Amino acid sequence: MEKEDLKFLNKGEEEEMELHAYHLCRWRLALVILGVVCTGGFLLLLLCWMPEWCVKSTCSRTTARDAEVVLLRSTDEFRRWFMARVRVILAPGSNPFHSLDIQTTSPSSPSSPSCPLSSSASSTLSNGHTSHLSDDSPAQELFRRYVDYQPTQIRYFTFHSAKYYWKDDVQNFEVLTGLEDLQISCSTLHSEHTAGLTRNEQEYRRLFFGVNEIAVKVPSVFKLLIKEVLNPFYIFQLFSVILWSADEYYYYAVAIVFMSVISIATSLYTIKKQYIMLHDMVATHSIVRVSVCRANNEIDEILSTDLVPGDVMVIPSNGTIMPCDAVLVSGTCIVNESMLTGESVPVTKTNLPNPVPGERRDEDDSTYNAEEHKRHTLFCGTNVIQTRFYTGELVKAVVVRTGFSTAKGQLVRSILYPKPTDFKLYRDAYLFLLCLVAVAGIGFIYSIILSIMNKVPAKIIIIESLDIITITVPPALPAALTAGIVYAQRRLKNIGIFCISPQRINICGQINLVCFDKTGTLTEDGLDMWGVQRAENGCFHLPEQKAYSQNLVKSQFVACMAPCHTLTKIEGQLSGDPLDLKMFEATDWILEEATEEETSLHDRIMPTVVKPPKRLLPPEPALSPEQDMELCELSSAYEIGIVRQFPFSSGLQRMCVVARLLGEKRMDAYMKGAPEVVASLCKKETVPENFAEVLEGYTKMGFRVISLAHRRLESKLNWHKVQNISRDHIETNMEFLGLIVMQNKLKAETPGVLQELRRANIRTVMVTGDNMLTAISVARDCGMIPPQDTVIIADAFSPHDGQAAKITWRYADKSCETSRLEEVNISLEDVCHVDEPKRQELYHFAMNGKSFAVIEEHFPDMLQKLVLHGTVFARMAPDQKTQLIETLQGVDYFVGMCGDGANDCGALKRAHAGISLSELEASVASPFTSRTPNISCVPSLIREGRAALITSFCVFKFMALYSIIQYISVTLLYSILSNLGDFQFLFIDIAIILLVVFTMSLNPARKELVSRRPPTGLISGPLLFSVLTQILICLGFQTITFLWVQKQPWYTVWTPLSDACNMSSHINVPDHNDTEVDEHNIQNYENTSLFYVSSFQYLIVAIVFSKGKPFRQPSYKNWPFVASVLCLYFFLLFIMFHPVESIDEFLEIVCVPFKWRVKLFLIILVNAGVSVVVETFILDIVLWKLVFSRDKQSSFGVPPAAPTPQRAIDLQTYKCQSWLCCSHQMPKARYMHLAKELSVDPDWPPKPTTTTEAKPCQKTAPSIKF
């Protein structure tokens, strides 16, 4: 197929994939089957591991339309391959949204342009249940009803629980989402989709959309076992066990089998448990009975699994758990969305606006979108607590998405099919193993040649040659590496951090940037009322602490605070948004909700009433008797009834209510929201002149400020008209009432933790949905931005009126603009010399979500530069938080994310280490969950991650040296046609290696978080130097031992009658050795000498590699390891200097002269001394520190988020390190590369009062204009 025929799925989306079409080729399949038979099934294993090889070897290329099998390849950095089988179903038509009466009768005729199968559809994923769609029974039933229609062939394939359907017009596969595919307006949804579907239409649509179910099938233990056992490591272990059994080396084979069984059983238990947890999480709404409206005005009760997009669902008055995503078209619902937002705060959902045809405007009648209209959308899995409805009417919602297309379905998909986390350690581990395989290959060839030259029997040649491979690539390596992670997971559990993805613990050791949510994470969850500042006649009053004083109770300010909210009573308790709750409680008023009977007195809904308690009402003046009765009744009945609510919209940044004071004919509109927004909707003369200064003063002190406004509505607006009026008609010409000042206190632990992270050169970033200036103030208060540093705000604007997109730059602190500007100019416009470090810790960027979206779209290159110093990202939507994480990862940061709710869910999943401070069900998606509801868990996790990572390096190095030491011993012995004995192997492999490797991993993390980071992979200078030098040392001393023993005056070729110890042979060796022939030539002086030396070498490298500082506590505090090593040292010295006949027999070692034992002891001492000196002095003092100094962010001009105590770097040290580290060479990390470029850019950072415009051609750099 030609290159231009390459298809792409989900173009431009996160899950973009290449599509390659194939059809089955029978002769290729026959050849593969023959190959499988000839290779004893090994080829089948290979094809199982490599799906692209499987498809390419059994199929041939074809067009996408005729594909029987599709090969998918992700376009991300991982470039993973997937295989999917194309299936065909028959349907009476090709468009799920058309009535069968207007469907085409020919399968080849083009579909309607509005059909999602024939026009560009949204790439949101649909559900994927092939078992339901491939079942022909519903289609056959439809065919019987519509016998005149010619069946249409629908081609599709399922991938990651999403179904992709073939579309003729675009000649590609695309996914069906739901009702949103039609791109319908709100008015169209009301006029054309609220009548309901007939049963035939429902069945017809179910052919395409499948069963409404998020099916998390828990695999059987057998399936999980097969998948786990087919892991390449376990296959290699199986090969090793078979080989050892053939060589009668049963003991270690049994030990490896035992370890493998435990490892597999643990893995199966963990995976099964996670599947069950996820299954239980989604099972709560899987099958419930729901009522739907039919096209003939009937109410039909069906199972929720039968729902399809377009069904009109009746929401029961006592509430329900939503089985799908649906948009409210009548009535109001109180919903708990903790599953999605992480906050158990009831949210009021109102019906979707339906603009009156005569007053309809384009902005009023926008295209329905679940995200934009989330205030009107009931999401799958959320709990509808109660409903409010008109008398005689039902609360109805139109189903828009079902199954895996729903919000909860997409969350479950992201958990079921996570994006792999790229970590250099694991890539390097495979490279390292390949190097060991290459070494094994050399030994394999060497042993074969040597054995043939000495005419060794073929069976022994095969076994001993293959044994070299099992020696060099240790089968116990996976278990050894897992041990360190398991210990780290246990330590994390002890400090209240739970992990569902243990492999991520190692990655935590590399984190050099942490993003924090603000509210509930850095600050306390709730807001406290600080005070109010009223405004009258265009002037501010002095701030007041209490809003419930008698002189304010009947003021418009309090009259606005009392009804302007979405609070409701649930089981007698006031419930709703915490901010609304605090604001209402500050008034000390009472909220009453009318009963259903009282509701019927009105022709519309809104029965809620708020009123002050009698004690707050001012005392009544003494009046004449005829006046007294009337006024007492009025004063005692001071109540405000809420007529209509316009809920808070994050896009509009405000909410509004229409209310009426009891006894008044005219209604009032009350509004609250972001101060700038509210002020812009008020009459200019009512807004104080110093409004901006007062507001800025509060926000800089970290307060959250809300403005209030009021408007007296026209008398012609009656109850009925208010229910249908647009909010734009209400929210205009308001009167400014003043400010409510809320305080969001920092958590006590926040400043200390951030200071600890700064000292460790770990950048900290704030990602919040709060106000920009408030976020900057909190960042300064908690120390994320030091007091002396400048904050540059980037305001980006989309293209409009023919003008290009642009960014304007301004300082957050105007009062210090002049002095700060000079400071920035002096320090940042200097030319960066190689021999002089440049201070760059003086500025931070801040931007809001809108600016972030514009910069991402129009200034992609600029975004990467901004995130290098971006510290505050305010008003960020959940998906923007995820995009920020990906941008930071795109410049090679290792990113941690700490949040307190599932609104951070995407970011928590995408980060290298996501830490949720919430234990709600949505945190299932977060790799780590902390029981401690503050950020103190972050440094703890990084410390444990670093300790686990260093432990992995130590274990890997030790296992590599163990393999090489044993490989050297066996290779040397092969040269004299000898080998290590079975029990020598057993003693080394179990008594030494397994005991040491499982105890050396127990070193706990160091309590201090140091400023250096561990290396990212095994293929790094210090680690390679460490391994290679220790290999050469061990090789040297074993070779010396092997050659020196042959030069001893007492040396002869050993026989059972040898008398090297000057003792009679019958004392040293049992009598039966005279007749018994040693086929393998195990007992000899070379074997015994190498056994002693190599046994000590294992312990030497174990001690040398078991380092404590700077990331782990010293090894002497790891008492199991110390006890194990001391016991082994004592035992080896004992059997070396005081031979015990039974032990010598068991280990098949022979007696050697005492003088030779002393010489062996000296060889071991010198070996230990050389190993320690090379590892601790040469590596740690010379190479290790220099490599770490290169890893420091400041070495390449990337500052920590704030100055560190070591801010003044010694110039001479810097020059020396720069020379030794080859500073002329560009750094590997992209953020370092960018920082190095920006450090010599005279136009960076952009100066305030400048504007950066996007050029039409993206290839050219943006221009900066004054």
Side-chain angles (χ1 to χ4, degrees):
M1 183 177 285
E2 296 179 6
K3 190 173 182 179
E4 59 265 21
D5 289 332
L6 183 66
K7 306 289 184 184
F8 286 91
L9 298 179
N10 308 320
K11 187 74 173 175
E13 301 289 331
E14 185 182 355
E15 294 189 5
E16 182 181 270
M17 291 174 293
E18 297 172 4
L19 183 142
H20 306 267
Y22 289 86
H23 66 78
L24 191 65
C25 180
R26 297 189 184 281
W27 65 266
R28 288 191 182 192
L29 182 62
L31 284 178
V32 168
I33 292 172
L34 183 64
V36 169
V37 173
C38 294
T39 57
F42 180 73
L43 179 60
L44 187 62
L45 275 175
L46 201 60
L47 297 180
C48 178
W49 295 332
M50 311 289 284
E52 69 274 23
W53 290 10
C54 179
V55 173
K56 291 176 181 178
S57 60
T58 57
C59 303
S60 55
R61 293 297 296 268
T62 185
T63 61
R65 181 184 179 85
D66 301 322
E68 295 177 359
V69 176
V70 291
L71 195 57
L72 307 171
R73 190 178 194 185
S74 62
T75 56
D76 56 18
E77 66 271 26
F78 303 104
R79 304 290 288 167
R80 294 171 297 160
W81 289 95
F82 303 96
M83 180 181 68
R85 184 180 172 188
V86 178
R87 301 177 184 274
V88 178
I89 58 170
L90 296 176
S94 59
N95 185 352
F97 294 113
H98 280 187
S99 168
L100 288 177
D101 297 332
I102 59 173
Q103 288 287 336
T104 59
T105 56
S106 171
S108 60
S109 62
S111 301
S112 168
S114 64
C115 172
L117 294 181
S118 59
S119 63
S120 180
S122 170
S123 61
T124 313
L125 291 162
S126 176
N127 69 54
H129 297 272
T130 56
S131 58
H132 297 291
L133 277 182
S134 59
D135 183 6
D136 289 336
S137 56
Q140 288 172 358
E141 187 178 346
L142 285 172
F143 289 147
R144 284 195 293 272
R145 294 175 185 170
Y146 297 91
V147 291
D148 296 334
Y149 288 87
Q150 184 176 346
T152 303
Q153 280 194 348
I154 308 293
R155 303 173 62 80
Y156 73 96
F157 67 86
T158 305
F159 173 69
H160 284 180
S161 299
K163 278 196 174 64
Y164 292 82
Y165 288 89
W166 175 255
K167 291 173 53 175
D168 279 323
D169 61 332
V170 295
Q171 290 292 297
N172 201 359
F173 288 92
E174 288 196 1
V175 72
L176 273 180
T177 304
L179 214 58
E180 288 173 290
D181 293 335
L182 293 176
Q183 299 288 309
I184 52 174
S185 64
C186 297
S187 58
T188 306
L189 197 148
H190 271 282
S191 60
E192 297 180 8
H193 295 273
T194 53
L197 304 176
T198 63
R199 290 184 181 85
N200 292 345
E201 287 173 330
Q202 188 186 58
E203 289 174 6
Y204 173 60
R205 288 190 185 184
R206 197 157 56 247
L207 289 174
F208 295 89
F209 291 102
V211 174
N212 174 37
E213 182 180 32
I214 302 174
V216 179
K217 295 180 180 178
V218 181
S220 65
V221 174
F222 178 74
K223 282 185 178 179
L224 289 174
L225 179 64
I226 295 298
K227 188 176 179 181
E228 191 72 17
V229 167
L230 290 180
N231 186 294
F233 270 119
Y234 290 123
I235 296 296
F236 179 70
Q237 284 184 338
L238 180 63
F239 163 76
S240 302
V241 166
I242 293 170
L243 182 66
W244 293 331
S245 300
D247 197 23
E248 299 178 355
Y249 184 36
Y250 300 116
Y251 302 98
Y252 189 57
V254 170
I256 287 293
V257 168
F258 178 72
M259 282 195 306
S260 298
V261 167
I262 291 177
S263 176
I264 290 171
T266 305
S267 179
L268 290 185
Y269 172 77
T270 306
I271 295 170
K272 183 93 173 174
K273 186 180 176 183
Q274 288 180 7
Y275 269 110
I276 291 171
M277 280 177 58
L278 191 58
H279 177 270
D280 292 345
M281 185 185 104
V282 302
T284 51
H285 74 277
S286 289
I287 302 177
V288 292
R289 298 201 72 84
V290 294
S291 298
V292 294
C293 298
R294 293 295 178 203
N296 53 6
N297 293 324
E298 289 182 3
I299 302 295
D300 194 5
E301 192 171 289
I302 61 171
L303 289 175
S304 60
T305 49
D306 293 332
L307 288 172
V308 296
D311 269 328
V312 177
M313 180 181 170
V314 178
I315 310 297
S317 58
N318 58 347
T320 184
I321 293 178
M322 287 300 296
C324 58
D325 287 355
V327 58
L328 268 177
V329 289
S330 66
T332 306
C333 292
I334 310 297
V335 184
N336 185 333
E337 291 189 325
S338 63
M339 193 283 301
L340 292 178
T341 63
E343 299 174 3
S344 298
V345 176
V347 179
T348 301
K349 301 279 184 164
T350 58
N351 58 298
L352 187 72
N354 183 19
V356 181
E359 302 175 358
R360 190 175 298 161
R361 295 183 296 179
D362 291 341
E363 56 267 28
D364 295 338
D365 196 20
S366 57
T367 301
Y368 171 75
N369 178 277
E371 183 59 33
E372 290 178 12
H373 296 91
K374 60 184 178 183
R375 280 289 181 180
H376 315 291
T377 304
L378 305 173
F379 292 103
C380 180
T382 58
N383 185 12
V384 178
I385 302 169
Q386 67 182 40
T387 63
R388 296 178 183 174
F389 49 89
Y390 311 148
T391 306
E393 293 190 26
L394 299 171
V395 178
K396 297 179 184 178
V398 177
V399 177
V400 289
R401 295 184 298 205
T402 58
F404 278 99
S405 291
T406 61
K408 186 165 187 174
Q410 291 177 23
L411 171 64
V412 173
R413 282 186 71 252
S414 66
I415 299 170
L416 283 174
Y417 313 106
K419 200 171 184 179
T421 304
D422 185 28
F423 192 38
K424 199 169 182 289
L425 170 66
Y426 303 128
R427 284 186 279 121
D428 287 354
Y430 285 109
L431 287 174
F432 210 86
L433 285 175
L434 286 175
C435 293
L436 292 179
V437 169
V439 172
I442 296 169
F444 180 77
I445 295 167
Y446 164 77
S447 64
I448 289 177
I449 294 171
L450 198 65
S451 299
I452 292 172
M453 288 172 64
N454 289 280
K455 299 180 181 178
V456 176
K459 180 186 175 183
I460 295 176
I461 291 176
I462 293 170
I463 290 175
E464 290 190 345
S465 300
L466 292 174
D467 197 34
I468 282 280
I469 297 174
T470 65
I471 288 170
T472 316
V473 184
L477 181 61
L481 287 173
T482 303
I485 295 173
V486 169
Y487 296 148
Q489 189 175 6
R490 191 176 64 189
R491 289 195 296 269
L492 285 172
K493 188 176 181 180
N494 291 338
I495 58 175
I497 300 174
F498 297 91
C499 173
I500 63 170
S501 180
Q503 295 302 322
R504 297 231 182 184
I505 296 175
N506 274 340
I507 303 176
C508 294
Q510 279 300 318
I511 288 175
N512 55 0
L513 184 148
V514 184
C515 295
F516 293 98
D517 182 31
K518 184 180 78 70
T519 308
T521 303
L522 296 174
T523 62
E524 297 291 349
D525 211 354
L527 291 164
D528 294 320
M529 175 69 79
W530 181 84
V532 299
Q533 189 160 7
R534 294 182 297 130
E536 281 183 351
N537 302 320
C539 295
F540 276 120
H541 290 272
L542 291 175
E544 299 164 89
Q545 286 192 346
K546 296 179 180 179
Y548 54 83
S549 56
Q550 286 187 354
N551 61 324
L552 292 180
V553 71
K554 290 190 176 182
S555 67
Q556 287 291 0
F557 191 89
V558 174
C560 181
M561 287 178 68
C564 197
H565 52 70
T566 55
L567 299 177
T568 185
K569 279 194 172 180
I570 298 172
E571 297 178 356
Q573 293 292 319
L574 208 56
S575 184
D577 184 88
L579 189 146
D580 285 348
L581 208 54
K582 285 285 183 184
M583 193 178 76
F584 184 73
E585 287 172 353
T587 64
D588 210 17
W589 282 36
I590 301 164
L591 182 140
E592 292 179 352
E593 290 182 338
T595 61
E596 189 175 336
E597 291 76 17
E598 291 171 324
T599 308
S600 61
L601 298 175
H602 308 289
D603 60 344
R604 278 302 192 189
I605 181 174
M606 301 301 167
T608 307
V609 169
V610 291
K611 61 182 181 181
K614 289 184 179 179
R615 59 183 174 80
L616 287 182
L617 291 170
E620 302 297 332
L623 298 171
S624 60
E626 59 271 12
Q627 292 176 317
D628 190 48
M629 182 66 67
E630 183 183 352
L631 286 173
C632 274
E633 286 178 1
L634 284 174
S635 61
S636 63
Y638 186 77
E639 298 178 359
I640 298 175
I642 301 172
V643 179
R644 188 180 178 190
Q645 292 175 329
F646 297 98
F648 177 80
S649 164
S650 56
L652 299 175
Q653 296 185 354
R654 63 183 185 269
M655 80 158 290
C656 179
V657 296
V658 176
R660 181 161 60 186
L661 183 64
L662 186 68
E664 291 282 343
K665 292 184 178 179
R666 292 172 68 178
M667 298 184 190
D668 296 275
Y670 298 106
M671 180 170 65
K672 73 171 183 188
E676 304 89 344
V677 175
V678 171
S680 68
L681 297 171
C682 291
K683 298 173 184 175
K684 286 186 179 180
E685 61 271 16
T686 65
V687 180
E689 291 182 3
N690 61 339
F691 166 77
E693 289 78 7
V694 172
L695 174 62
E696 189 173 359
Y698 283 127
T699 53
K700 282 182 180 177
M701 288 188 287
F703 292 116
R704 184 167 181 180
V705 184
I706 297 164
S707 286
L708 302 183
H710 160 260
R711 177 188 164 197
R712 191 87 161 153
L713 296 180
E714 299 83 358
S715 56
K716 65 178 182 180
L717 283 176
N718 58 25
W719 195 299
H720 180 78
K721 286 183 178 179
V722 165
Q723 301 305 321
N724 294 286
I725 198 169
S726 166
R727 71 186 295 170
D728 291 340
H729 290 90
I730 300 289
E731 297 170 342
T732 183
N733 291 324
M734 309 286 282
E735 292 181 9
F736 188 79
L737 293 179
L739 305 174
I740 297 176
V741 185
M742 313 290 283
Q743 191 174 19
N744 194 194
K745 295 178 182 176
L746 280 175
K747 289 184 177 178
E749 302 82 4
T750 297
V753 171
L754 294 180
Q755 187 178 4
E756 184 180 6
L757 293 175
R758 282 200 312 278
R759 282 199 301 265
N761 273 343
I762 296 171
R763 270 189 66 192
T764 51
V765 173
M766 184 188 295
V767 191
T768 178
D770 207 344
N771 174 274
M772 169 79 76
L773 292 175
T774 302
I776 292 172
S777 171
V778 171
R780 286 198 185 277
D781 290 345
C782 67
M784 195 176 281
I785 300 175
Q788 68 273 21
D789 285 10
T790 304
V791 178
I792 303 173
I793 296 177
D795 291 319
F797 302 94
S798 302
H800 64 94
D801 299 333
Q803 294 182 349
K806 62 181 180 179
I807 308 172
T808 58
W809 311 92
R810 60 186 174 94
Y811 278 139
D813 191 353
K814 295 177 182 176
S815 60
C816 303
E817 184 172 320
T818 307
S819 60
R820 291 268 169 85
L821 181 59
E822 290 172 0
E823 185 180 13
V824 172
N825 284 343
I826 292 168
S827 62
L828 292 172
E829 291 185 356
D830 260 352
V831 176
C832 181
H833 299 290
V834 173
D835 60 346
E836 190 169 344
K838 182 178 168 185
R839 292 176 61 191
Q840 286 189 319
E841 299 92 352
L842 298 174
Y843 68 95
H844 303 254
F845 286 113
M847 68 187 77
N848 59 28
K850 288 182 180 178
S851 297
F852 181 84
V854 172
I855 294 170
E856 185 181 42
E857 182 179 357
H858 298 283
F859 303 88
D861 295 335
M862 178 72 73
L863 185 62
Q864 290 195 341
K865 296 176 184 178
L866 288 175
V867 296
L868 285 185
H869 290 270
T871 304
V872 175
F873 296 85
R875 299 291 189 205
M876 296 286 277
D879 60 323
Q880 288 179 324
K881 292 183 180 182
T882 308
Q883 289 163 9
L884 175 63
I885 298 291
E886 290 173 347
T887 304
L888 290 166
Q889 290 173 335
V891 291
D892 295 339
Y893 275 112
F894 282 88
V895 185
M897 172 70 195
C898 185
D900 67 329
N903 55 331
D904 304 315
C905 196
L908 290 170
K909 289 198 303 288
R910 192 68 194 96
H912 290 105
I915 314 157
S916 172
L917 303 185
S918 165
E919 292 188 63
L920 293 166
E921 59 179 354
S923 297
V924 149
S926 179
F928 300 95
T929 303
S930 172
R931 273 188 179 170
T932 310
N934 59 62
I935 64 170
S936 61
C937 60
V938 174
S940 301
L941 180 62
I942 295 174
R943 279 195 295 268
E944 288 296 343
R946 289 179 172 185
L949 184 57
I950 289 298
T951 299
S952 294
F953 287 143
C954 291
V955 169
F956 211 103
K957 286 161 62 180
F958 175 70
M959 293 299 284
L961 259 295
Y962 146 63
S963 301
I964 297 298
I965 290 169
Q966 201 168 79
Y967 172 77
I968 293 168
S969 301
V970 170
T971 306
L972 289 172
L973 291 174
Y974 272 11
S975 66
I976 58 168
L977 299 181
S978 180
N979 199 351
L980 292 173
D982 285 353
F983 290 101
Q984 289 175 340
F985 273 124
L986 192 67
F987 175 75
I988 291 169
D989 292 343
I990 293 181
I992 297 180
I993 302 305
L994 292 185
L995 186 62
V996 167
V997 84
F998 286 125
T999 55
M1000 75 187 296
S1001 302
L1002 287 169
N1003 273 34
R1006 196 178 177 193
K1007 293 182 180 179
E1008 181 189 353
L1009 196 62
V1010 295
S1011 60
R1012 59 179 66 173
R1013 288 188 296 126
T1016 54
L1018 290 165
I1019 313 298
S1020 62
L1023 268 67
L1024 287 178
F1025 178 84
S1026 173
V1027 170
L1028 292 175
T1029 51
Q1030 294 302 326
I1031 287 174
L1032 291 175
I1033 291 166
C1034 294
L1035 173 64
F1037 282 98
Q1038 280 203 50
T1039 306
I1040 290 169
T1041 304
F1042 182 76
L1043 297 176
W1044 200 8
V1045 71
Q1046 294 175 345
K1047 301 294 183 183
Q1048 297 303 307
W1050 49 265
Y1051 175 82
T1052 57
V1053 177
W1054 188 88
T1055 65
L1057 299 175
S1058 296
D1059 191 15
C1061 293
N1062 295 320
M1063 293 186 292
S1064 58
S1065 59
H1066 70 275
I1067 294 174
N1068 184 46
V1069 181
D1071 294 338
H1072 66 264
N1073 279 343
D1074 294 337
T1075 56
E1076 194 173 284
V1077 179
D1078 185 5
E1079 292 180 0
H1080 297 289
N1081 188 23
I1082 302 299
Q1083 290 179 308
N1084 54 62
Y1085 299 121
E1086 291 91 343
N1087 171 289
T1088 299
S1089 301
L1090 287 179
F1091 172 75
Y1092 282 134
V1093 171
S1094 64
S1095 295
F1096 278 102
Q1097 281 181 339
Y1098 298 126
L1099 298 177
I1100 290 167
V1101 294
I1103 292 171
V1104 164
F1105 288 159
S1106 292
K1107 297 176 183 176
K1109 291 183 179 181
F1111 306 110
R1112 303 193 301 170
Q1113 291 188 23
S1115 294
Y1116 61 79
K1117 291 189 177 181
N1118 181 1
W1119 65 265
F1121 174 69
V1122 173
S1124 303
V1125 171
L1126 287 177
C1127 289
L1128 288 167
Y1129 266 123
F1130 177 79
F1131 176 78
L1132 287 171
L1133 288 171
F1134 176 78
I1135 65 172
M1136 192 166 81
F1137 287 104
H1138 190 277
V1140 178
E1141 185 178 335
S1142 57
I1143 295 175
D1144 287 358
E1145 261 186 66
F1146 179 78
L1147 294 175
E1148 296 180 87
I1149 54 180
V1150 299
C1151 188
V1152 293
F1154 184 79
K1155 287 183 179 179
W1156 178 241
R1157 293 178 213 156
V1158 173
K1159 290 177 181 177
L1160 286 177
F1161 183 64
L1162 289 174
I1163 289 172
I1164 291 161
L1165 284 179
V1166 175
N1167 186 344
V1170 173
S1171 292
V1172 170
V1173 166
V1174 169
E1175 186 74 16
T1176 57
F1177 179 77
I1178 297 177
L1179 182 66
D1180 286 356
I1181 295 178
V1182 181
L1183 290 176
W1184 194 261
K1185 287 187 177 180
L1186 292 179
V1187 169
F1188 270 134
S1189 68
R1190 285 185 69 185
D1191 279 346
K1192 285 184 182 179
Q1193 295 174 355
S1194 54
S1195 298
F1196 290 100
V1198 180
T1204 62
Q1206 298 81 17
R1207 191 169 183 170
I1209 304 171
D1210 181 75
L1211 185 59
Q1212 295 304 320
T1213 306
Y1214 184 88
K1215 288 179 180 179
C1216 177
Q1217 290 183 357
S1218 297
W1219 178 76
L1220 285 169
C1221 293
C1222 308
S1223 61
H1224 294 283
Q1225 194 175 8
M1226 288 309 294
K1228 289 182 180 179
R1230 223 170 301 175
Y1231 68 87
M1232 291 181 179
H1233 180 88
L1234 276 170
K1236 202 171 180 81
E1237 285 182 354
L1238 294 176
S1239 65
V1240 294
D1241 185 351
D1243 294 324
W1244 192 265
K1247 307 301 180 292
T1249 72
T1250 62
T1251 300
T1252 305
E1253 289 189 357
K1255 296 242 179 133
C1257 178
Q1258 287 296 328
K1259 292 182 181 178
T1260 58
S1263 63
I1264 298 180
K1265 297 180 181 179
F1266 287 92

